[in-house]
Amino acid sequence: MEWNRREFLKIAGATTAVAAFGGLGFDLRSAQAQALEQADKLKFTKQTTSVCCYCSVGCGLIASTDKNGEGKVVNIEGDPDHPISEGSLCPKGASHFQLGKNDRRIYKVLYRAPYAENWEEKSWDWALDRIARKVKDARDASFTTKDAKGRTVNRCEGVASVGSAAMDNEECWIYQAMLRAMGLTYIEHQARI
Amino acid sequence: MSGKTFFVDLSRCTGCRGCQVACKQWKNKPVEPTENTGSHQNPPDLSWQTLKVVRFTETTIDGKFHWLFFPDQCRHCLDAPCKMVGDSEVPEAIVQDPATGAVVFTDKCKGLNAAAVREGCPYDIPRVDAATKLMYKCDMCNDRVHAGLLPSCVKTCPTGTMNFGDRDEMLAMAKERLARIKPTHPKAELVDASSVRCVFLCPQPPSAYYKYVQFGDAAPPLLTRKALFAKVLRPLRAFG
């Protein structure tokens, strides 16, 4: 049989479609996720993909959480299907597990007053109110409506923001919208410094 | 039986220690107390809760400074001296997986003389938990391998230093990499490739990295009397 280009493309297309959708309707999970479940430790876990929270490279993670228990994290490792990291993780990324499960984790707000030597426990309400108060005071104190030449600027020059690589795209958008609403002009991200 | 093998390409290692952390992560091992020892190496040695450690060495070779990284771990010897010592005391305390070739310490290691097992290892790998008397070392992530996954350290390696697969594939890759770097690193060599399942490609002489990189580099005898005895007895035991 003589194959012309058109015929070849038709058959190649059909083969690709079968390869791509052949598994549809049965199992959408990647082979990696299935293999993970077979390891004893991960037998009764559910796999969820995520993105490393540390630097701006954005390596992919697979988090395995307990299906029967309280959804506790059992294992976190690199996601081989991720286009950026292809399963690899640096030491910081590989240590994700202890971010959640760690006996040194602090569960309550700790506050050290100016000139105080000791930390004291506070409530979240207290802490958030205080942060909001401080931000508002600093912003109001350094807000300028006109520059030296008398032009209207309406900007806040006394507050700068640096961060955060721990935020995803959407969180960054909301964050910068809030900063601009306050009039900030010094908005930077530590990944660029 | 060809089993599995690690190929560790030290010409690619940047000393990031991803493997060391990933190992600890999968094995759920606690951290070691950190002290400044004057080196970036941390912790300073393997222990029952640190099964893999990247050793950092600053050295001068032929008048040129080198900062060498050596991700140290069990070599899973084809004919493991630790198993010979173990078998002579408690049979089945140290076992070898026929499918993968992994040398695995079981709970029965409690009954072993830990010092003798460690002495029997040419690479100084086995460690004991003083509290429980259980012995620990790398088990090739045998559970993961049987589930079709790569060992934790290999999976995480961002540079391609750590490789894992069927033995013949890994040996072929090792030979190819050696040939590739030979022109720029004439001293490069594959360490103990014919006798272990963790083959290191050292661009510099193996002894420059650490004293237990190569079989027989360090002073102790190749086989302790006990191991030798066990080896001689082994065929008898197989039939008995």
Side-chain angles (χ1 to χ4, degrees), chain B residues 129-152:
Chain B
D129 176 4
T132 62
K133 302 281 182 246
L134 279 169
M135 298 200 69
Y136 293 90
K137 69 164 188 67
C138 157
D139 67 355
M140 204 192 255
C141 281
N142 214 27
D143 52 344
R144 291 176 60 97
V145 174
H146 278 286
L149 295 171
L150 290 170
S152 210

Side-chain angles (χ1 to χ4, degrees), chain B residues 8-64:
Chain B
V8 188
D9 184 351
L10 294 186
S11 68
R12 285 180 158 158
C13 184
T14 59
C16 85
R17 280 185 292 215
C19 52
Q20 189 182 315
V21 175
C23 172
K24 213 160 249 248
Q25 200 282 147
W26 177 254
K27 299 281 176 205
N28 262 331
K29 297 281 187 188
V31 295
E32 309 266 356
T34 297
E35 261 179 63
N36 187 348
T37 58
S39 162
H40 279 278
Q41 186 181 320
N42 182 35
D45 197 11
L46 294 167
S47 79
W48 71 270
Q49 50 188 13
T50 301
L51 312 183
K52 173 142 191 157
V53 70
V54 180
R55 300 188 185 277
F56 290 61
T57 307
E58 290 166 41
T59 186
T60 304
I61 299 166
D62 296 338
K64 211 179 150 211

Side-chain angles (χ1 to χ4, degrees), chain A residues 32 35-36 38-39 41-42 75-78 80 87-91 94-95 97 104, chain B residues 16-18 21-22 25-28 31 143-144 146-149 152 155-158:
Chain A
Q32 168 70 13
L36 267 174
Q38 284 161 24
K41 178 176 164 183
L42 305 175
N75 183 56
I76 301 181
E77 65 180 66
S88 63
L89 287 176
C90 78
S95 72
F97 178 77
R104 296 186 189 181
Chain B
C16 85
R17 280 185 292 215
V21 175
Q25 200 282 147
W26 177 254
K27 299 281 176 205
N28 262 331
V31 295
D143 52 344
R144 291 176 60 97
H146 278 286
L149 295 171
S152 210
K155 172 79 181 300
T156 209
C157 181

